[in-house]
Amino acid sequence: MAGEQQQPETELVLLDFWVSPFGQRCRIALAEKGLPYEYSEQDLLGAKSDLLLRSNPVHKKVPVLLHAGRPVCESLAILAYLDEAFPDAAGPALLPSAADPYARARARFWAAYSDRVYEAGTRLWKLKGGEARAKLQARAEIVEVLGNLDAELGEKEFFGGEVFGLVDVALVPFVPWLPSYERYGEFSVEETAPRLAAWARRCAERESVARSLHPPEKVDEFITLLKKVYGIE
Amino acid sequence: MAGEQQQPETELVLLDFWVSPFGQRCRIALAEKGLPYEYSEQDLLGAKSDLLLRSNPVHKKVPVLLHAGRPVCESLAILAYLDEAFPDAAGPALLPSAADPYARARARFWAAYSDRVYEAGTRLWKLKGGEARAKLQARAEIVEVLGNLDAELGEKEFFGGEVFGLVDVALVPFVPWLPSYERYGEFSVEETAPRLAAWARRCAERESVARSLHPPEKVDEFITLLKKVYGIE
């Protein structure tokens, strides 16, 4: 309309919450691809914003990626979307090339599996005192999950080989949570999954990772806050 | 080697269990694409086969698709693999074309969401007598899930529009479970999600679906068997 200044719709907006590992997946991927975006911090402990509720009416959760106003929800779907919608981004695709469908299937399998670290870890810190048997079970579970990931990584530098890719992006945001899981579960990642522990140190050196994650102490404070919110101990 | 008859390794083998809706997703997709395969029924209630344990050591579950001997696990990963590994199959791709990344993200979101039908339904039939509050919660959950799917479908013929695609394949195997869920949860799919109910009838007319699914009575007998196995009621 004449005389009116139309702002172009911001291309990419990420609705996120600072400590969300699922949001951090998206932040790391956006950084790896060199895609500029607007970060929109959401208040998840208070009232959820209209924008979040409108963008993700089904799950009402972060992360949500808005692309020219259209919402993409669920972190792994967002990672797939970034590969497909921005094939000419500065950084490479997260999935192996289309010429190797088997490697792609394998990466998708392990990226989905990485959620198990968070699920098992959450069971650990949600335990109430005295649940000795449940604690043994939860510890056995996270030890098994980390062992499976350690075996899949093997002697490779990253999960896909020499390239930091989908499984790395999906898994690495859980690294700062591990010290808390170790304390609540009384186990050692270094002993359980030594190759994974070394991988975590390699990943921490990447700028995309270092800038997206928080120190374990901050995560631990957040878990303590959540325990209060849930009335645990 | 001279004189020896080498059998070519069977191209595609599906490790599956007759009533598994996750395996049925793969059967429907293979049928839609016109890909021949060997079906290998697995005994999930007895001892699991060495082949299954070796092919899916992490989850030890069906379905597993063996392609020239290499295992692909997790039903949605198998569907993605079939699209990518067999681009020249007789039938079309399940995902929308690469030219529409947003439609692909949306299809992936709803395909993953369809698992919720099974999860909520399982909570319903696993209820023990007397858990009135848990029953109300589980019923509210499945009603919400079916309502969300009904809204996403809207007036379209299939979830992707006029073409039977990924979301349809992912969701339709749960249809024969719905009458049992209705009975355990005391609700009506027709009232809760009338457009979804009509979609289910349209899908049942497809040969790929009709040949892969079992009548609700068979599924209900299987649920009754599972309840006995789990010692419910």
Tab-separated table of all heavy atoms in Angstrom, chain B residues 59-98:
chain	number	residue	atom	x	y	z
B	59	HIS	N	17.213	-52.826	19.400
B	59	HIS	CA	15.814	-52.871	19.833
B	59	HIS	C	15.250	-54.290	19.879
B	59	HIS	O	14.242	-54.519	20.538
B	59	HIS	CB	14.941	-52.015	18.909
B	59	HIS	CG	15.294	-50.559	18.922
B	59	HIS	ND1	15.351	-49.834	20.079
B	59	HIS	CD2	15.610	-49.697	17.919
B	59	HIS	CE1	15.679	-48.572	19.793
B	59	HIS	NE2	15.853	-48.469	18.493
B	60	LYS	N	15.870	-55.212	19.143
B	60	LYS	CA	15.416	-56.614	19.117
B	60	LYS	C	13.936	-56.714	18.735
B	60	LYS	O	13.189	-57.506	19.290
B	60	LYS	CB	15.652	-57.286	20.479
B	60	LYS	CG	17.099	-57.186	20.967
B	60	LYS	CD	17.249	-57.728	22.383
B	60	LYS	CE	18.692	-57.653	22.873
B	60	LYS	NZ	19.185	-56.255	23.072
B	61	LYS	N	13.525	-55.866	17.795
B	61	LYS	CA	12.111	-55.771	17.420
B	61	LYS	C	11.938	-55.882	15.915
B	61	LYS	O	12.836	-55.531	15.146
B	61	LYS	CB	11.552	-54.387	17.829
B	61	LYS	CG	11.361	-54.188	19.307
B	61	LYS	CD	10.512	-52.953	19.604
B	61	LYS	CE	11.059	-51.675	18.993
B	61	LYS	NZ	10.356	-50.459	19.482
B	62	VAL	N	10.755	-56.323	15.499
B	62	VAL	CA	10.359	-56.172	14.104
B	62	VAL	C	9.706	-54.798	13.969
B	62	VAL	O	9.296	-54.236	14.979
B	62	VAL	CB	9.327	-57.263	13.679
B	62	VAL	CG1	9.924	-58.644	13.803
B	62	VAL	CG2	8.005	-57.148	14.418
B	63	PRO	N	9.611	-54.297	12.745
B	63	PRO	CA	10.109	-54.857	11.496
B	63	PRO	C	11.588	-54.538	11.277
B	63	PRO	O	12.093	-53.534	11.748
B	63	PRO	CB	9.268	-54.119	10.455
B	63	PRO	CG	9.034	-52.771	11.058
B	63	PRO	CD	8.874	-53.031	12.533
B	64	VAL	N	12.235	-55.452	10.560
B	64	VAL	CA	13.577	-55.193	10.028
B	64	VAL	C	13.509	-55.506	8.543
B	64	VAL	O	12.988	-56.554	8.159
B	64	VAL	CB	14.643	-56.096	10.683
B	64	VAL	CG1	16.010	-55.848	10.047
B	64	VAL	CG2	14.704	-55.877	12.189
B	65	LEU	N	14.000	-54.611	7.739
B	65	LEU	CA	14.120	-54.880	6.306
B	65	LEU	C	15.577	-55.213	6.011
B	65	LEU	O	16.466	-54.417	6.316
B	65	LEU	CB	13.721	-53.645	5.491
B	65	LEU	CG	13.782	-53.841	3.965
B	65	LEU	CD1	12.620	-54.707	3.484
B	65	LEU	CD2	13.791	-52.498	3.239
B	66	LEU	N	15.790	-56.415	5.476
B	66	LEU	CA	17.132	-56.776	5.028
B	66	LEU	C	17.224	-56.503	3.536
B	66	LEU	O	16.402	-57.004	2.758
B	66	LEU	CB	17.403	-58.262	5.294
B	66	LEU	CG	17.381	-58.694	6.762
B	66	LEU	CD1	17.446	-60.215	6.866
B	66	LEU	CD2	18.529	-58.060	7.530
B	67	HIS	N	18.159	-55.698	3.158
B	67	HIS	CA	18.370	-55.395	1.735
B	67	HIS	C	19.755	-55.916	1.370
B	67	HIS	O	20.765	-55.392	1.854
B	67	HIS	CB	18.271	-53.889	1.495
B	67	HIS	CG	18.413	-53.528	0.044
B	67	HIS	ND1	18.621	-52.243	-0.387
B	67	HIS	CD2	18.342	-54.288	-1.080
B	67	HIS	CE1	18.703	-52.225	-1.713
B	67	HIS	NE2	18.534	-53.445	-2.144
B	68	ALA	N	19.770	-56.956	0.547
B	68	ALA	CA	21.031	-57.643	0.224
B	68	ALA	C	21.792	-57.962	1.500
B	68	ALA	O	23.005	-57.787	1.579
B	68	ALA	CB	21.875	-56.807	-0.738
B	69	GLY	N	21.037	-58.353	2.532
B	69	GLY	CA	21.648	-58.793	3.780
B	69	GLY	C	21.882	-57.697	4.810
B	69	GLY	O	22.147	-57.982	5.973
B	70	ARG	N	21.770	-56.437	4.413
B	70	ARG	CA	22.028	-55.348	5.373
B	70	ARG	C	20.722	-54.892	6.019
B	70	ARG	O	19.749	-54.573	5.332
B	70	ARG	CB	22.677	-54.151	4.678
B	70	ARG	CG	24.064	-54.484	4.133
B	70	ARG	CD	24.844	-53.231	3.817
B	70	ARG	NE	24.238	-52.435	2.752
B	70	ARG	CZ	24.774	-51.318	2.273
B	70	ARG	NH1	25.920	-50.866	2.776
B	70	ARG	NH2	24.192	-50.648	1.302
B	71	PRO	N	20.675	-54.841	7.361
B	71	PRO	CA	19.420	-54.530	8.050
B	71	PRO	C	19.116	-53.033	8.133
B	71	PRO	O	19.992	-52.218	8.396
B	71	PRO	CB	19.666	-55.076	9.458
B	71	PRO	CG	21.150	-55.026	9.635
B	71	PRO	CD	21.763	-55.196	8.273
B	72	VAL	N	17.848	-52.709	7.897
B	72	VAL	CA	17.333	-51.368	8.174
B	72	VAL	C	16.233	-51.549	9.214
B	72	VAL	O	15.328	-52.369	9.034
B	72	VAL	CB	16.752	-50.695	6.906
B	72	VAL	CG1	16.286	-49.281	7.219
B	72	VAL	CG2	17.778	-50.690	5.782
B	73	CYS	N	16.324	-50.816	10.323
B	73	CYS	CA	15.396	-50.982	11.443
B	73	CYS	C	14.568	-49.718	11.643
B	73	CYS	O	14.976	-48.642	11.232
B	73	CYS	CB	16.169	-51.262	12.726
B	73	CYS	SG	17.238	-52.717	12.602
B	74	GLU	N	13.440	-49.892	12.329
B	74	GLU	CA	12.504	-48.815	12.665
B	74	GLU	C	11.625	-48.511	11.449
B	74	GLU	O	12.113	-48.104	10.397
B	74	GLU	CB	13.212	-47.543	13.143
B	74	GLU	CG	13.984	-47.715	14.439
B	74	GLU	CD	13.078	-47.920	15.655
B	74	GLU	OE1	12.674	-46.949	16.273
B	74	GLU	OE2	12.791	-49.096	15.955
B	75	SER	N	10.312	-48.664	11.657
B	75	SER	CA	9.409	-48.627	10.500
B	75	SER	C	9.497	-47.330	9.691
B	75	SER	O	9.532	-47.372	8.455
B	75	SER	CB	7.963	-48.877	10.944
B	75	SER	OG	7.512	-47.882	11.840
B	76	LEU	N	9.548	-46.177	10.364
B	76	LEU	CA	9.569	-44.936	9.580
B	76	LEU	C	10.901	-44.776	8.835
B	76	LEU	O	10.937	-44.223	7.733
B	76	LEU	CB	9.281	-43.719	10.465
B	76	LEU	CG	7.868	-43.704	11.088
B	76	LEU	CD1	7.674	-42.468	11.959
B	76	LEU	CD2	6.784	-43.767	10.019
B	77	ALA	N	11.983	-45.285	9.432
B	77	ALA	CA	13.269	-45.260	8.730
B	77	ALA	C	13.227	-46.202	7.529
B	77	ALA	O	13.823	-45.921	6.480
B	77	ALA	CB	14.407	-45.634	9.678
B	78	ILE	N	12.508	-47.315	7.675
B	78	ILE	CA	12.366	-48.242	6.538
B	78	ILE	C	11.581	-47.571	5.405
B	78	ILE	O	11.942	-47.671	4.230
B	78	ILE	CB	11.698	-49.561	6.980
B	78	ILE	CG1	12.649	-50.328	7.934
B	78	ILE	CG2	11.316	-50.427	5.785
B	78	ILE	CD1	12.021	-51.552	8.609
B	79	LEU	N	10.502	-46.868	5.747
B	79	LEU	CA	9.717	-46.194	4.696
B	79	LEU	C	10.576	-45.156	3.972
B	79	LEU	O	10.548	-45.059	2.738
B	79	LEU	CB	8.471	-45.530	5.294
B	79	LEU	CG	7.465	-46.444	6.016
B	79	LEU	CD1	6.219	-45.655	6.414
B	79	LEU	CD2	7.079	-47.654	5.181
B	80	ALA	N	11.350	-44.391	4.722
B	80	ALA	CA	12.228	-43.400	4.092
B	80	ALA	C	13.254	-44.095	3.202
B	80	ALA	O	13.559	-43.638	2.088
B	80	ALA	CB	12.939	-42.560	5.159
B	81	TYR	N	13.765	-45.225	3.700
B	81	TYR	CA	14.764	-45.977	2.935
B	81	TYR	C	14.182	-46.485	1.621
B	81	TYR	O	14.830	-46.417	0.570
B	81	TYR	CB	15.282	-47.140	3.776
B	81	TYR	CG	16.335	-47.958	3.080
B	81	TYR	CD1	17.626	-47.468	2.927
B	81	TYR	CD2	16.045	-49.221	2.560
B	81	TYR	CE1	18.605	-48.220	2.276
B	81	TYR	CE2	17.011	-49.975	1.915
B	81	TYR	CZ	18.292	-49.470	1.778
B	81	TYR	OH	19.246	-50.207	1.134
B	82	LEU	N	12.962	-46.994	1.669
B	82	LEU	CA	12.354	-47.511	0.433
B	82	LEU	C	12.227	-46.408	-0.605
B	82	LEU	O	12.472	-46.627	-1.795
B	82	LEU	CB	10.982	-48.135	0.738
B	82	LEU	CG	11.014	-49.453	1.521
B	82	LEU	CD1	9.601	-49.894	1.896
B	82	LEU	CD2	11.719	-50.560	0.725
B	83	ASP	N	11.824	-45.207	-0.176
B	83	ASP	CA	11.762	-44.082	-1.117
B	83	ASP	C	13.126	-43.815	-1.739
B	83	ASP	O	13.235	-43.557	-2.946
B	83	ASP	CB	11.326	-42.804	-0.380
B	83	ASP	CG	9.822	-42.539	-0.484
B	83	ASP	OD1	9.094	-43.407	-0.991
B	83	ASP	OD2	9.377	-41.457	-0.045
B	84	GLU	N	14.160	-43.851	-0.903
B	84	GLU	CA	15.479	-43.400	-1.360
B	84	GLU	C	16.262	-44.481	-2.098
B	84	GLU	O	17.021	-44.179	-3.012
B	84	GLU	CB	16.283	-42.881	-0.164
B	84	GLU	CG	15.606	-41.655	0.458
B	84	GLU	CD	16.396	-41.033	1.589
B	84	GLU	OE1	17.376	-41.646	2.068
B	84	GLU	OE2	16.022	-39.916	1.999
B	85	ALA	N	16.072	-45.733	-1.672
B	85	ALA	CA	16.853	-46.814	-2.285
B	85	ALA	C	16.207	-47.328	-3.573
B	85	ALA	O	16.881	-47.942	-4.402
B	85	ALA	CB	17.040	-47.960	-1.292
B	86	PHE	N	14.896	-47.081	-3.721
B	86	PHE	CA	14.182	-47.587	-4.910
B	86	PHE	C	13.419	-46.459	-5.604
B	86	PHE	O	12.193	-46.515	-5.724
B	86	PHE	CB	13.230	-48.725	-4.510
B	86	PHE	CG	13.945	-49.886	-3.881
B	86	PHE	CD1	14.024	-50.006	-2.497
B	86	PHE	CD2	14.565	-50.846	-4.668
B	86	PHE	CE1	14.701	-51.068	-1.910
B	86	PHE	CE2	15.253	-51.914	-4.087
B	86	PHE	CZ	15.319	-52.026	-2.706
B	87	PRO	N	14.159	-45.442	-6.065
B	87	PRO	CA	13.471	-44.300	-6.701
B	87	PRO	C	12.767	-44.696	-7.995
B	87	PRO	O	11.875	-43.985	-8.442
B	87	PRO	CB	14.617	-43.306	-6.951
B	87	PRO	CG	15.856	-44.137	-6.978
B	87	PRO	CD	15.610	-45.278	-6.029
B	88	ASP	N	13.174	-45.826	-8.571
B	88	ASP	CA	12.581	-46.239	-9.852
B	88	ASP	C	11.563	-47.356	-9.682
B	88	ASP	O	11.210	-48.041	-10.651
B	88	ASP	CB	13.687	-46.685	-10.817
B	88	ASP	CG	14.705	-45.581	-11.037
B	88	ASP	OD1	14.286	-44.398	-11.077
B	88	ASP	OD2	15.907	-45.883	-11.132
B	89	ALA	N	11.064	-47.562	-8.450
B	89	ALA	CA	10.046	-48.590	-8.225
B	89	ALA	C	8.797	-48.257	-9.036
B	89	ALA	O	8.593	-47.102	-9.446
B	89	ALA	CB	9.718	-48.664	-6.739
B	90	ALA	N	7.967	-49.279	-9.228
B	90	ALA	CA	6.745	-49.068	-10.021
B	90	ALA	C	5.842	-48.025	-9.365
B	90	ALA	O	5.259	-47.175	-10.038
B	90	ALA	CB	6.012	-50.405	-10.180
B	91	GLY	N	5.715	-48.098	-8.043
B	91	GLY	CA	4.848	-47.153	-7.338
B	91	GLY	C	5.575	-45.865	-6.997
B	91	GLY	O	6.802	-45.809	-7.042
B	92	PRO	N	4.811	-44.821	-6.662
B	92	PRO	CA	5.400	-43.503	-6.408
B	92	PRO	C	6.083	-43.430	-5.040
B	92	PRO	O	5.902	-44.301	-4.189
B	92	PRO	CB	4.196	-42.569	-6.441
B	92	PRO	CG	3.049	-43.413	-6.030
B	92	PRO	CD	3.349	-44.815	-6.513
B	93	ALA	N	6.862	-42.364	-4.841
B	93	ALA	CA	7.469	-42.094	-3.538
B	93	ALA	C	6.366	-41.815	-2.521
B	93	ALA	O	5.288	-41.314	-2.865
B	93	ALA	CB	8.406	-40.898	-3.639
B	94	LEU	N	6.628	-42.165	-1.256
B	94	LEU	CA	5.651	-41.907	-0.199
B	94	LEU	C	5.690	-40.448	0.240
B	94	LEU	O	4.661	-39.859	0.574
B	94	LEU	CB	5.921	-42.819	0.999
B	94	LEU	CG	5.852	-44.316	0.703
B	94	LEU	CD1	6.303	-45.107	1.931
B	94	LEU	CD2	4.440	-44.726	0.311
B	95	LEU	N	6.882	-39.874	0.282
B	95	LEU	CA	7.010	-38.463	0.657
B	95	LEU	C	6.695	-37.583	-0.550
B	95	LEU	O	6.936	-37.987	-1.690
B	95	LEU	CB	8.439	-38.165	1.109
B	95	LEU	CG	8.779	-38.346	2.583
B	95	LEU	CD1	10.270	-38.098	2.802
B	95	LEU	CD2	7.973	-37.410	3.475
B	96	PRO	N	6.201	-36.364	-0.302
B	96	PRO	CA	6.051	-35.404	-1.395
B	96	PRO	C	7.411	-35.150	-2.057
B	96	PRO	O	8.453	-35.450	-1.480
B	96	PRO	CB	5.552	-34.144	-0.684
B	96	PRO	CG	4.943	-34.622	0.589
B	96	PRO	CD	5.712	-35.838	0.991
B	97	SER	N	7.390	-34.557	-3.226
B	97	SER	CA	8.622	-34.394	-4.010
B	97	SER	C	9.610	-33.466	-3.316
B	97	SER	O	9.246	-32.609	-2.509
B	97	SER	CB	8.283	-33.854	-5.402
B	97	SER	OG	8.633	-32.499	-5.508
B	98	ALA	N	10.883	-33.642	-3.647
B	98	ALA	CA	11.957	-32.834	-3.064
B	98	ALA	C	11.758	-31.357	-3.358
B	98	ALA	O	12.335	-30.496	-2.696
B	98	ALA	CB	13.301	-33.307	-3.593
